[in-house]
Amino acid sequence: MSAVYAAEDADFRGPLDVTKAATAVLDGDGTVVGWGPAAHALLGYPPHEAVGRPIGTFVVDRPGAYRMSAPLPGAALARRQVLHMRHRDGHIVRVATATLPLSHAGTGPARLLAVADADETERWEALQSMLRGLATQSPVGLAIYDIDLRVVWTNHALYREMGTFQYAGLGPDEMVTDGEILSDGYPTTLAEAMRRVIATGEPVIELHYSGRPPADPDHDHVWSCSYYRLQDADGRALGVCEETVDITDRYLAQQRLDLLVRAGGRVGTSLDMTRTAQELSSVAVPQFADAITVDLIDVVLEGDQPAPGTATSRRVVRVWEGPSEGPRSARPVAYPADSLQARCLAGGRPVLEGPTPTQSAHSRLAVPLRTEGGPLGVVTFCRDRHPDPFESGDLLVADELVARAAVSIDNARRFTREHAAALTLQRSLLPRHLPRLTAVDVAHRYLPADNRAGVGGDWYDVIALSGTRVGLVVGDVVGHGVRAAATMGRLRTSVRAFARLDLPPDELLTRLDELITQDAHEQTAVQAETEDAALGVTCLYAVYDPVTGRCSMARAGSPLPSIVDPGTGAVSHPDVPAGPPLGLGGLPFEAAEFTLPEGSLIALFTDGLIQGRDRDRDAELDALHAVLAEHRRPLDDLCDRIVTTLLPGPVDDDAALLLVRTRTLDSHEVAAWDLPDDPEVVGRARALATGQVDAWGLDGELGFTTELVVSELVTNAIRYASGPIQLRLIRDRTLICEVSDTGHTSPHLRRAGSEDEGGRGLFLIAQMTQQWGTRYTPTGKTIWAEQPIPP
């Protein structure tokens, strides 16, 4: 039964119906000729008092208030007017009246007057108006299903929604095609959901259901459906009432909003441009589009920004084409001049295109990837299976999606540029190639906590010192990234400068502490620069001498190194006093000196290697020692095993590791003589030196230079110092000549005048040797000079 016919055929009998109302029969003049029992009950007049009286005598309104004209056409009753009539006991009764013509002959009964309580009549009429509204005017679709879940009645809204389709007797899932329940937590079909309502009596509120109605079979609609059980007075189920509202527009708007919210959480999770493009595709496909391509201007991938006005002339690289189950390599693409993408890049605005004979997609939308700095590329959305082409509402969504991706891609572009700068900085700050030295074999690893920048505040270094000695350094600047790396670079340079002065470890750390403290005090005046102050720096500096096998070491807050005995394989820690971190100022540092057997393995490291969040320091040290116990393995293998064991995943602190295996010089490579403080010994010193050079098989020119160097250095020692003198020659990768005395005055290189008798010795040494210098010892000083040995 349709809503229209249901409304017209319904029994709308109310208080004015002749079977219920108080009735009086009137003649043509309005005189009462008949008086029913209900009239007696309503107004109190028995028939014999009412019959024969004009009906107007019962009315207390103004004269003529009751009119006999304009009867309701046909046989239908209708409310005519509201009157006030006097009850037999004198009180006033407010009534509604209606008339029905009986005869037009002019004699005898002419009209039937129906009278009812006005308040009851008005309540009934309001109820009927509501029912008529639900049946014929309500925008909410209503349907009644019997106990077998078959349609028995619908209102006009649902009838209009479904068109002329004959749905009487159908089940709920047969009303539309491709029906699907969208809400979670419900059965898979409407019939099952309605059976649950009948069984439990619990209503279902706002169940979302999609399908294609007969009135619009080419498009999906979404309805919000509610169900409640219909039952009789005894609670016996009679069926189910369904209320439906078409919420397609609202649902699509919510889906678009959800899409943007999802994009906010899933697009731009990394600083990788290809991954950002993939994330955009995973959000947009298949809900918004069936396929997507992301094309970037070539210079963007290199970290640069296209110059204004050059976007259309640059090469474009496709970094993503989806949907795809795996990554694809980027490839260049060429746009025809009149293509969707070319027009989008040229205009800097989205371009919407419908189906064309050469395109399989029946709708395409190109949106520019751009930021305030300019264009980055273009994103193309395609629909070929989606039932609806792109529309204006979709354009706004696509623009917002691409704008979010553009921010992430621009951040990735900036990171690419800064990462390249950071790598350049790293190469300049950390030693790219450690020197090949006779004293030690070394291997190293560096793991920054800031994996994106690839640099941090930890560092290591191996410094060649005079006399074949070697300086070993590990340090740690508080913080990560480029700022910490820049500070580290300054400190590494300072350490190398101090080490070239042949300062002992404790004095070197003292000088470095003074430098950092002074730098921090100067920077406190500028708040922006305070963040770059190197406070809380830790550092360990050791000097190893392969001639004596002695190692001197001092530390400022750094962890103790681990040393492996080459014979027993036992791992121990040297007793080196723990100095304070650098930058605190005014606190002393102490050095420890000990002998290392040849082949000893030293592991120098920063604290990031053995401690961190959720890591036990002692357990990490035990793991380190377990790896070091295999000390005979190659150093690079040991480094890899240490990193794999202690730092298998991402780290939360920078870590530097320096492995050192010691060597000693053979006694045949070192010659030393103690000489008296006597000018006559100079000739003997020259003879000893040239004899040793000849014994080593070195050529005559090297012997001549050595003789000159020895003569000048021994002469200066006798002239300017006192006490015994030692002459030492070392054959290493260079020929080293050293003269030690008890003086503490450092010689200075100067240019002698034409009439000066002296001052030319050091100048000649500087010109004829590779390098020379002075180092101080507890008993005096040593002046040394190195000459390259021809290959």
Side-chain angles (χ1 to χ4, degrees), residues 527-789:
Q527 184 66 28
E529 296 181 0
T530 305
E531 299 177 359
D532 199 28
L535 297 176
V537 178
T538 65
C539 183
L540 182 147
Y541 180 64
V543 176
Y544 173 68
D545 187 346
V547 176
T548 63
R550 299 288 288 175
C551 181
S552 179
M553 184 180 295
R555 63 191 181 108
S558 292
L560 283 169
S562 297
I563 299 179
V564 184
D565 186 275
T568 64
V571 183
S572 62
H573 300 288
D575 187 14
V576 181
L582 301 174
L584 301 182
L587 299 176
F589 300 95
E590 298 181 44
E593 188 170 349
F594 44 87
T595 301
L596 293 174
E598 184 175 10
S600 297
L601 178 62
I602 311 173
L604 307 172
F605 49 86
T606 56
D607 55 7
L609 185 72
I610 58 171
Q611 68 184 37
R613 189 181 301 115
D614 301 327
R615 298 173 64 196
D616 182 80
R617 182 187 179 95
D618 293 336
E620 297 294 294
L621 277 175
D622 291 341
L624 172 63
H625 293 170
V627 178
L628 293 177
E630 303 179 34
H631 61 99
R632 301 189 188 279
R633 299 174 64 92
L635 293 183
D636 278 320
D637 289 352
L638 288 175
C639 278
D640 290 337
R641 294 195 62 184
I642 289 172
V643 171
T644 302
T645 302
L646 273 65
L647 303 172
V651 294
D652 51 22
D653 191 12
D654 303 331
L657 170 66
L658 181 64
L659 291 186
V660 179
R661 181 172 285 133
T662 64
R663 291 202 298 257
T664 57
L665 283 181
D666 189 274
S667 59
H668 299 294
E669 308 296 330
V670 182
W673 302 273
D674 292 325
L675 305 174
D677 183 11
D678 186 349
E680 295 182 358
V681 82
V682 176
R684 178 170 172 251
R686 287 197 298 265
L688 291 171
T690 54
Q692 186 62 54
V693 170
D694 290 341
W696 280 334
L698 302 178
D699 61 28
E701 183 178 350
L702 200 60
F704 171 77
T705 305
T706 303
E707 184 179 5
L708 174 63
V709 169
V710 169
S711 177
E712 291 295 333
L713 293 184
V714 172
T715 299
N716 285 342
I718 294 173
R719 178 179 298 176
Y720 299 108
S722 61
I725 300 171
Q726 185 186 67
L727 170 64
R728 186 170 73 164
L729 296 181
I730 302 174
R731 186 179 70 169
D732 188 33
R733 301 179 188 275
T734 60
L735 178 61
I736 303 171
C737 176
E738 297 181 344
V739 174
S740 302
D741 58 46
T742 58
H744 291 84
T745 303
S746 175
H748 297 284
L749 181 68
R750 65 186 180 90
R751 185 180 298 273
S754 59
E755 298 181 357
D756 292 344
E757 296 182 0
R760 296 177 177 85
L762 286 181
F763 180 77
L764 291 175
I765 291 175
Q767 296 299 313
M768 301 182 69
T769 61
Q770 180 173 283
Q771 57 181 342
W772 73 280
T774 303
R775 68 173 181 269
Y776 292 92
T777 66
T779 59
K781 69 176 182 296
T782 297
I783 301 178
W784 55 270
E786 291 186 8
Q787 304 173 68
I789 298 177

Side-chain angles (χ1 to χ4, degrees), residues 513-526:
D513 180 63
E514 293 172 353
L515 180 67
I516 293 173
T517 303
Q518 180 182 3
D519 186 54
H521 288 164
E522 292 175 352
Q523 291 183 10
T524 53
V526 183

Side-chain angles (χ1 to χ4, degrees), residues 134 138-144 153-162 223-226 241-246:
L134 289 175
S138 172
V140 177
L142 297 175
I144 294 178
W153 180 85
T154 67
N155 70 344
H156 186 68
L158 192 60
Y159 177 82
R160 184 175 58 250
E161 178 98 19
M162 298 303 168
W223 296 273
S224 175
C225 305
S226 298
C241 183
E242 174 188 63
E243 298 178 2
T244 61
V245 177
D246 192 319

Side-chain angles (χ1 to χ4, degrees), residues 288 340 350-352 363-367 379-381 390 394-395 398:
F288 183 74
L340 184 75
V351 177
L352 179 61
S363 184
R364 296 190 305 159
L365 175 61
V367 182
V379 178
T380 306
F381 300 93
F390 289 113
D394 295 321
L395 191 148

